Amino acid sequence: MQDFKDLGDKQEIDVSEMISKLNADQRRVFDRVTNTIMSGKSLLRLYDSIKYSSLILEDTAVTAPTGIAAFNIDGLTVHRLLQLPVEHGHTPKYKPLANHVLKVLRADLKDVSLIIIDEVSIISNLVLMYIHLRLSEIYDTIDCDDGWFGQKHVLLFGDLLQLPPVHEDPAFIQLTAENIRKYLGSLNATNIWTTLFDYDELTINMRQQGDGSYRELLSRIRIGLLTPSDCDILEKRKVSFKSESFETRLNELCDFINNLSSDTVCLLPTCHMCNKLNAAMLSRIASKEIFLIAEDTIDCIPYMRKKK
């Protein structure tokens, strides 16, 4: 868990200045969370961590469900932080930690009072339950009447209309009786989302501020609504190919991308398409190709090393 500790070595910034620049919508949510947590000190750390990724203190754990999302907020994946079970291809059952692993986690997270989870749309109802069970295990609150999430503050951030969980239901859906029996070994489970969490929503779109019509178009698309004028706008922005063959179309796409600004991001639906486009773009680089052979090693205690 040294990587969790290392995240605290960040340069401090002026949090008060950031708060002063919040718009009315952001300030409303900020004040509500402040009043809920009843600790301005913790809340300043919260806001700084999740929005600016520049300061993560020992009593705040910042996490996200994927590696890229965690990297973007200078945090760890929730599975890494809490040592949640991961099995590719299917959903694993919840398993209590071994004593020596639990001892390490308790030592590293003993000062944590606030846990932030970003990109909550990707967190399934089952993973949310696993998070509760693991925190209760770490902080020994399983038998407490109010032992939810180890009796720690938990804040969830994200857009529920973005990417959903893989193969599972979203966090706000009640666990099915079958999943409760199969993965938790229980007869019943509380709907954590509706029972424990309060919901609030930012309503001011801070993006595409220079293009009101496009901003409104995107707002309608995200809820599955399109007007005839929306279709006309999208049709005008569509990239048309002249040829029919795959290779020729790929070359046309590369030519089109080369004429765009260097900070353009290309989003493709499959890894195969990404690999094809990346290979085609790399083949256009005129410089000499250099191969580097490297071997990565991790300096950590044996039980934390992954088997190849």
Side-chain angles (χ1 to χ4, degrees), residues 109-124:
L109 303 180
K110 62 183 176 66
D111 295 323
V112 169
S113 60
L114 177 64
I115 297 153
I116 299 168
I117 304 175
D118 197 16
E119 301 295 352
V120 69
S121 69
I122 311 177
I123 297 288
S124 70

Side-chain angles (χ1 to χ4, degrees), residues 60-294:
T60 304
V62 182
T63 71
T66 68
I68 293 178
F71 176 81
N72 287 337
I73 57 173
D74 282 346
L76 297 175
T77 65
V78 66
H79 290 79
R80 174 70 184 87
L81 178 70
L82 301 178
Q83 296 294 297
L84 297 180
V86 177
E87 293 183 18
H88 298 288
H90 66 281
T91 303
K93 293 182 179 180
Y94 180 82
K95 296 179 181 179
L97 293 173
N99 289 335
H100 62 284
V101 180
L102 187 59
K103 182 178 180 180
V104 173
L105 278 179
R106 283 175 172 169
D108 287 327
L109 303 180
K110 62 183 176 66
D111 295 323
V112 169
S113 60
L114 177 64
I115 297 153
I116 299 168
I117 304 175
D118 197 16
E119 301 295 352
V120 69
S121 69
I122 311 177
I123 297 288
S124 70
N125 52 6
L126 193 59
V127 170
L128 188 62
M129 179 62 74
Y130 285 2
I131 293 171
H132 152 64
L133 292 174
R134 181 67 84 230
L135 289 172
S136 299
E137 184 181 355
I138 293 171
Y139 296 105
D140 197 20
T141 63
I142 295 176
D143 296 327
C144 298
D145 292 336
D146 188 22
W148 295 101
F149 293 96
Q151 296 182 333
K152 303 299 178 181
H153 294 300
V154 177
L155 287 170
L156 307 177
F157 288 85
D159 185 343
L160 295 178
L161 292 180
Q162 289 186 355
L163 288 175
V166 179
H167 302 312
E168 298 293 341
D169 292 323
F172 52 83
I173 299 295
Q174 170 67 36
L175 279 167
T176 64
E178 179 183 358
N179 281 350
I180 293 173
R181 290 193 303 269
K182 182 177 180 180
Y183 299 112
L184 303 179
S186 177
L187 296 177
N188 194 15
T190 301
N191 188 330
I192 293 179
W193 182 275
T194 58
T195 304
L196 301 177
F197 288 93
D198 290 328
Y199 178 85
D200 209 330
E201 184 175 344
L202 294 172
T203 58
I204 299 177
N205 190 339
M206 299 300 293
R207 299 177 180 177
Q208 297 90 31
Q209 295 193 54
D211 191 342
S213 60
Y214 191 56
R215 181 180 67 247
E216 294 172 2
L217 179 152
L218 294 177
S219 297
R220 287 189 289 271
I221 286 179
R222 69 194 301 270
I223 58 175
L225 296 177
L226 276 178
T227 66
S229 61
D230 293 337
C231 295
D232 292 338
I233 293 175
L234 294 175
E235 190 67 28
K236 293 176 182 178
R237 301 192 180 201
K238 185 173 67 175
V239 179
S240 299
F241 297 107
K242 298 179 181 179
S243 58
E244 296 294 333
S245 69
F246 171 79
E247 293 297 334
T248 309
R249 284 193 168 195
L250 184 59
N251 286 328
E252 288 185 48
L253 180 58
C254 291
D255 291 337
F256 179 81
I257 293 174
N258 281 333
N259 292 325
L260 300 175
S261 61
S262 59
D263 60 351
T264 299
V265 177
C266 297
L267 301 179
L268 300 173
T270 67
C271 292
H272 176 72
M273 295 175 69
C274 289
N275 292 335
K276 287 291 185 181
L277 179 59
N278 288 337
M281 293 296 293
L282 287 173
S283 67
R284 294 183 169 219
I285 299 177
S287 58
K288 182 180 178 181
E289 188 173 2
I290 300 174
F291 290 93
L292 298 177
I293 301 176

Side-chain angles (χ1 to χ4, degrees), residues 8-19:
D9 299 331
K10 303 290 181 179
Q11 183 178 1
E12 293 191 19
I13 58 178
D14 190 346
V15 181
S16 299
E17 181 181 355
M18 293 190 302
I19 296 175

